[in-house]
Amino acid sequence: GQQLNQSPQSMFIQEGEDVSMNCTSSSIFNTWLWYKQDPGEGPVLLIALYKAGELTSNGRLTAQFGITRKDSFLNISASIPSDVGIYFCAGQLRSGGSNYKLTFGKGTLLTVNP
Amino acid sequence: DTGVSQDPRHKITKRGQNVTFRCDPISEHNRLYWYRQTLGQGPEFLTYFQNEAQLEKSRLLSDRFSAERPKGSFSTLEIQRTEQGDSAMYLCASSYESEQYFGPGTRLTVT
């Protein structure tokens, strides 16, 4: 099935560093969501974006909905060891009462060295 | 705990057997989704319900797969005549609008 292009595939950083990751698509979405997944668990919703150009924060996390509606970015500031995990972007193109399904990227594996 | 729950968390079955998974969504959510995730990949959409109506099915959902949500509350996903390629994490999510909340998943291993 279709998946979004998410980069980088993996990152290895020192505690306290800032992190940036992004997601691009060949088609537009009207909602972007960012999730974090720990091994053996389901994804946990971090941030939801609903409008092109929107910038939204959740604690140390900041995400942006790209102007073209084909991309999104996630930044994590001052990383800590518990930020370790796989981060997924997901796009949604709702139209009327249909198309609620999410299309996911392949994820960015983040490792934080204490 | 008022999150999405899934049962069982792990299932090991022999090829050719049937398996059934259950999902209990967040109580006030009218939409329920099933996704499948394999190692190194993001979740892939399988099917979606609004209340008890199954509104969308992916081409990934072969004839061996069936999902139900009989009373608009919990849902079941059945796989008949399992194949080794069915081994994956099966994730359930629920939502009221766009924000989907996932359960812990059911890890299926077909031997």
Side-chain angles (χ1 to χ4, degrees):
Chain A
Q2 177 195 4
Q3 287 198 330
L4 306 176
N5 297 312
Q6 195 169 344
S7 65
Q9 289 187 338
S10 62
M11 302 182 73
F12 187 93
I13 63 170
Q14 295 296 122
E15 183 177 359
E17 290 183 350
D18 297 344
V19 172
S20 292
M21 59 190 79
N22 69 77
C23 199
T24 60
S25 171
S26 57
S27 53
I28 63 171
F29 291 106
N30 54 27
T31 300
W32 283 94
L33 303 170
W34 284 91
Y35 289 87
K36 178 176 182 278
Q37 187 174 29
D38 292 329
E41 299 294 330
V44 174
L45 180 63
L46 300 174
I47 288 182
L49 301 154
Y50 297 101
K51 187 177 176 182
E54 178 183 357
L55 190 70
T56 297
S57 293
N58 177 9
R60 294 178 296 106
L61 277 62
T62 301
Q64 184 161 24
F65 192 139
I67 289 291
T68 65
R69 296 172 62 193
K70 292 183 178 181
D71 55 8
S72 181
F73 306 87
L74 176 69
N75 295 313
I76 305 173
S77 63
S79 58
I80 59 178
S82 62
D83 291 335
V84 165
I86 303 176
Y87 291 79
F88 289 100
C89 60
Q92 183 185 64
L93 183 65
R94 290 189 333 267
S95 54
S98 63
N99 288 334
Y100 274 80
K101 67 181 181 186
L102 297 180
T103 300
F104 281 82
K106 289 190 175 184
T108 293
L109 172 62
L110 178 63
T111 304
V112 179
N113 190 30
Chain B
D1 185 9
T2 57
V4 178
S5 62
Q6 291 187 246
D7 184 69
R9 292 292 308 274
H10 303 274
K11 178 71 177 179
I12 300 174
T13 191
K14 293 184 188 298
R15 185 164 53 93
Q17 297 293 305
N18 300 342
V19 294
T20 300
F21 309 140
R22 177 181 170 121
C23 172
D24 286 89
I26 293 171
S27 58
E28 61 267 28
H29 286 177
N30 58 344
R31 295 185 177 89
L32 186 148
Y33 313 79
W34 287 98
Y35 292 83
R36 182 171 69 187
Q37 185 178 27
T38 54
L39 198 61
Q41 303 293 318
E44 291 183 293
F45 171 78
L46 292 178
T47 189
Y48 137 65
F49 291 84
Q50 181 167 318
N51 301 312
E52 64 274 11
Q54 188 172 18
L55 295 188
E56 194 171 352
K57 291 198 293 186
S58 163
R59 288 171 294 177
L60 292 175
L61 211 66
S62 77
D63 292 345
R64 297 183 297 106
F65 287 69
S66 63
E68 294 183 342
R69 194 184 183 198
K71 296 183 180 179
S73 56
F74 73 93
S75 175
T76 58
L77 177 68
E78 181 183 17
I79 309 174
Q80 296 183 327
R81 306 180 302 282
T82 52
E83 302 172 355
Q84 286 189 322
D86 296 332
S87 295
M89 174 80 93
Y90 289 84
L91 293 162
C92 175
S94 70
S95 77
Y96 182 68
E97 287 293 339
S98 289
E99 298 178 13
Q100 295 183 20
Y101 295 87
F102 283 81
T106 295
R107 168 75 63 190
L108 173 66
T109 303
V110 182
T111 61

Coordinates of all heavy atoms in Angstrom, one line a residue, chain B residues 28-61:
Chain B
E28 N -16.8 6.6 23.9 CA -17.6 7.6 23.2 C -17.2 7.8 21.7 O -17.7 8.6 21.0 CB -17.4 9.0 23.9 CG -16.0 9.6 23.9 CD -15.3 9.2 25.2 OE1 -15.6 8.1 25.8 OE2 -14.3 9.9 25.6
H29 N -16.3 6.9 21.3 CA -15.8 7.0 19.9 C -16.7 6.2 18.9 O -17.0 5.0 19.2 CB -14.4 6.5 19.7 CG -13.4 7.4 20.3 ND1 -12.0 7.1 20.3 CD2 -13.5 8.7 20.8 CE1 -11.4 8.2 20.8 NE2 -12.2 9.1 21.1
N30 N -17.2 6.8 17.8 CA -18.1 6.1 16.9 C -17.3 5.5 15.8 O -17.9 4.7 15.0 CB -19.1 7.1 16.4 CG -18.5 8.3 15.6 OD1 -17.3 8.6 15.8 ND2 -19.3 9.0 14.9
R31 N -16.0 5.8 15.6 CA -15.3 5.2 14.5 C -14.2 4.3 15.0 O -13.6 4.5 16.1 CB -14.6 6.3 13.7 CG -15.6 7.2 13.0 CD -15.0 8.2 12.0 NE -16.0 9.0 11.3 CZ -16.5 10.1 11.8 NH1 -16.1 10.6 13.0 NH2 -17.5 10.7 11.1
L32 N -14.1 3.2 14.3 CA -13.1 2.1 14.7 C -12.4 1.6 13.5 O -13.0 1.4 12.4 CB -13.9 1.0 15.4 CG -13.0 -0.2 16.0 CD1 -13.8 -0.7 17.3 CD2 -12.7 -1.2 15.0
Y33 N -11.1 1.4 13.7 CA -10.2 1.1 12.5 C -9.4 -0.1 12.9 O -9.0 -0.3 14.0 CB -9.2 2.3 12.2 CG -9.9 3.6 12.2 CD1 -10.2 4.3 13.4 CD2 -10.2 4.3 11.0 CE1 -10.8 5.6 13.3 CE2 -10.7 5.5 10.9 CZ -11.0 6.2 12.1 OH -11.6 7.4 12.1
W34 N -9.0 -0.9 11.8 CA -8.0 -2.0 11.9 C -6.9 -1.7 11.0 O -7.1 -1.3 9.8 CB -8.7 -3.3 11.6 CG -9.6 -3.9 12.6 CD1 -10.9 -3.8 12.6 CD2 -9.2 -4.6 13.8 NE1 -11.4 -4.4 13.7 CE2 -10.4 -5.0 14.5 CE3 -8.0 -5.0 14.3 CZ2 -10.4 -5.7 15.6 CZ3 -8.0 -5.8 15.5 CH2 -9.2 -6.1 16.2
Y35 N -5.7 -1.9 11.5 CA -4.5 -1.7 10.8 C -3.6 -2.9 11.0 O -3.7 -3.6 12.0 CB -3.7 -0.5 11.2 CG -4.3 0.9 10.9 CD1 -5.3 1.4 11.8 CD2 -3.9 1.6 9.8 CE1 -5.9 2.6 11.5 CE2 -4.5 2.9 9.6 CZ -5.5 3.4 10.5 OH -6.0 4.6 10.2
R36 N -2.7 -3.2 10.0 CA -1.7 -4.2 10.2 C -0.3 -3.6 10.0 O -0.1 -2.8 9.2 CB -1.9 -5.3 9.1 CG -0.9 -6.5 9.2 CD -1.3 -7.5 8.2 NE -1.1 -7.2 6.8 CZ -1.5 -7.9 5.8 NH1 -2.1 -9.0 6.0 NH2 -1.3 -7.5 4.5
Q37 N 0.6 -4.1 10.9 CA 2.0 -3.6 10.9 C 3.0 -4.7 10.9 O 2.9 -5.6 11.7 CB 2.2 -2.7 12.1 CG 3.6 -2.0 12.1 CD 3.8 -1.0 13.3 OE1 3.2 -1.3 14.4 NE2 4.6 0.0 13.1
T38 N 3.9 -4.7 9.9 CA 4.9 -5.6 9.8 C 6.2 -5.0 10.2 O 6.3 -3.7 10.3 CB 5.1 -6.3 8.5 OG1 5.2 -5.2 7.5 CG2 3.8 -7.1 8.1
L39 N 7.3 -5.8 10.5 CA 8.5 -5.3 11.1 C 9.1 -4.2 10.1 O 9.3 -4.5 8.9 CB 9.5 -6.4 11.3 CG 10.6 -6.2 12.2 CD1 10.1 -5.8 13.6 CD2 11.6 -7.4 12.3
G40 N 9.5 -3.1 10.7 CA 10.2 -2.1 9.9 C 9.3 -1.2 9.0 O 9.7 -0.4 8.3
Q41 N 7.9 -1.4 9.2 CA 7.0 -0.6 8.4 C 6.0 0.1 9.3 O 5.9 -0.2 10.5 CB 6.2 -1.6 7.5 CG 7.0 -2.4 6.6 CD 7.7 -1.7 5.5 OE1 7.1 -0.7 4.9 NE2 8.9 -2.0 5.2
G42 N 5.4 1.1 8.7 CA 4.3 1.8 9.5 C 3.1 1.0 9.4 O 2.9 0.1 8.5
P43 N 2.1 1.3 10.2 CA 0.8 0.6 10.1 C 0.1 0.8 8.7 O 0.2 1.9 8.1 CB 0.0 1.3 11.2 CG 1.0 1.8 12.2 CD 2.1 2.2 11.3
E44 N -0.5 -0.2 8.2 CA -1.3 -0.2 7.0 C -2.7 -0.4 7.2 O -3.1 -1.3 7.9 CB -0.7 -1.2 6.0 CG 0.7 -0.9 5.5 CD 1.1 -1.9 4.4 OE1 1.3 -3.1 4.8 OE2 1.3 -1.5 3.3
F45 N -3.6 0.5 6.6 CA -5.0 0.4 6.9 C -5.6 -0.8 6.3 O -5.3 -1.3 5.2 CB -5.6 1.7 6.2 CG -7.1 1.7 6.1 CD1 -7.8 2.0 7.3 CD2 -7.8 1.3 5.0 CE1 -9.2 2.0 7.2 CE2 -9.2 1.3 4.9 CZ -9.9 1.7 6.1
L46 N -6.5 -1.4 7.1 CA -7.3 -2.6 6.6 C -8.7 -2.3 6.4 O -9.3 -2.5 5.3 CB -7.2 -3.7 7.7 CG -5.8 -4.4 7.9 CD1 -5.9 -5.5 8.9 CD2 -5.3 -5.0 6.6
T47 N -9.4 -1.7 7.5 CA -10.8 -1.5 7.3 C -11.2 -0.5 8.4 O -10.5 -0.2 9.4 CB -11.6 -2.8 7.4 OG1 -13.0 -2.5 7.1 CG2 -11.6 -3.4 8.8
Y48 N -12.5 0.1 8.2 CA -12.9 1.1 9.1 C -14.5 1.0 9.3 O -15.2 0.8 8.3 CB -12.4 2.5 8.6 CG -13.3 3.6 8.6 CD1 -13.8 4.2 9.8 CD2 -13.7 4.3 7.4 CE1 -14.7 5.3 9.8 CE2 -14.5 5.4 7.4 CZ -15.0 5.9 8.6 OH -15.8 7.0 8.5
F49 N -14.9 1.3 10.5 CA -16.3 1.3 10.8 C -16.8 2.6 11.3 O -16.0 3.2 12.1 CB -16.7 0.2 11.9 CG -16.5 -1.2 11.5 CD1 -15.3 -1.8 11.5 CD2 -17.6 -1.9 11.1 CE1 -15.1 -3.1 11.2 CE2 -17.4 -3.3 10.7 CZ -16.2 -3.9 10.8
Q50 N -17.9 3.1 10.9 CA -18.6 4.2 11.6 C -19.8 3.6 12.2 O -20.7 3.1 11.5 CB -18.9 5.3 10.6 CG -19.6 6.5 11.3 CD -19.7 7.7 10.5 OE1 -18.7 8.0 9.8 NE2 -20.8 8.4 10.5
N51 N -19.9 3.6 13.6 CA -20.9 2.8 14.3 C -20.8 1.4 13.9 O -19.7 0.8 13.9 CB -22.3 3.5 14.1 CG -22.3 4.9 14.6 OD1 -21.8 5.2 15.7 ND2 -22.8 5.8 13.8
E52 N -21.9 0.8 13.4 CA -21.8 -0.6 13.0 C -21.6 -0.8 11.6 O -21.4 -2.0 11.1 CB -23.1 -1.4 13.5 CG -24.4 -0.9 12.8 CD -25.0 0.3 13.5 OE1 -24.4 0.9 14.4 OE2 -26.1 0.6 13.1
A53 N -21.5 0.2 10.8 CA -21.4 0.1 9.3 C -19.9 0.1 8.9 O -19.1 1.0 9.3 CB -22.1 1.3 8.7
Q54 N -19.6 -0.9 8.1 CA -18.2 -1.0 7.6 C -18.1 -0.1 6.4 O -18.7 -0.5 5.3 CB -17.8 -2.5 7.3 CG -16.4 -2.7 7.0 CD -16.0 -4.2 6.9 OE1 -16.9 -5.0 6.7 NE2 -14.8 -4.5 6.9
L55 N -17.4 1.0 6.4 CA -17.5 2.0 5.4 C -16.4 1.9 4.3 O -16.5 2.3 3.2 CB -17.5 3.4 5.9 CG -18.7 3.8 6.8 CD1 -18.7 5.2 7.1 CD2 -20.0 3.4 6.0
E56 N -15.3 1.3 4.7 CA -14.1 1.2 3.8 C -13.3 0.0 4.1 O -13.1 -0.4 5.3 CB -13.3 2.5 4.0 CG -12.3 2.7 2.9 CD -11.6 4.1 3.0 OE1 -12.0 4.9 3.8 OE2 -10.6 4.3 2.2
K57 N -12.8 -0.7 3.0 CA -12.0 -1.8 3.2 C -10.8 -1.7 2.2 O -11.0 -1.3 1.0 CB -12.7 -3.1 2.8 CG -13.8 -3.5 3.8 CD -14.2 -4.9 3.7 CE -14.9 -5.2 2.4 NZ -15.4 -6.6 2.4
S58 N -9.6 -2.0 2.7 CA -8.4 -2.0 1.8 C -8.3 -3.2 0.9 O -8.9 -4.3 1.3 CB -7.2 -1.9 2.7 OG -6.0 -2.2 2.0
R59 N -7.6 -3.0 -0.2 CA -7.3 -4.2 -1.0 C -6.5 -5.2 -0.3 O -6.4 -6.4 -0.7 CB -6.6 -3.8 -2.3 CG -7.5 -3.0 -3.3 CD -6.7 -2.4 -4.4 NE -5.8 -1.4 -3.9 CZ -4.9 -0.7 -4.6 NH1 -4.8 -1.0 -5.9 NH2 -4.1 0.2 -4.1
L60 N -5.8 -4.8 0.8 CA -5.1 -5.8 1.6 C -6.0 -6.8 2.3 O -5.5 -7.8 2.7 CB -4.3 -5.0 2.7 CG -3.1 -4.1 2.3 CD1 -2.6 -3.4 3.5 CD2 -2.0 -4.9 1.6
L61 N -7.2 -6.4 2.5 CA -8.2 -7.3 3.2 C -8.7 -8.3 2.2 O -9.7 -8.1 1.6 CB -9.3 -6.4 3.8 CG -9.9 -6.9 5.1 CD1 -8.9 -6.8 6.2 CD2 -11.1 -6.0 5.4

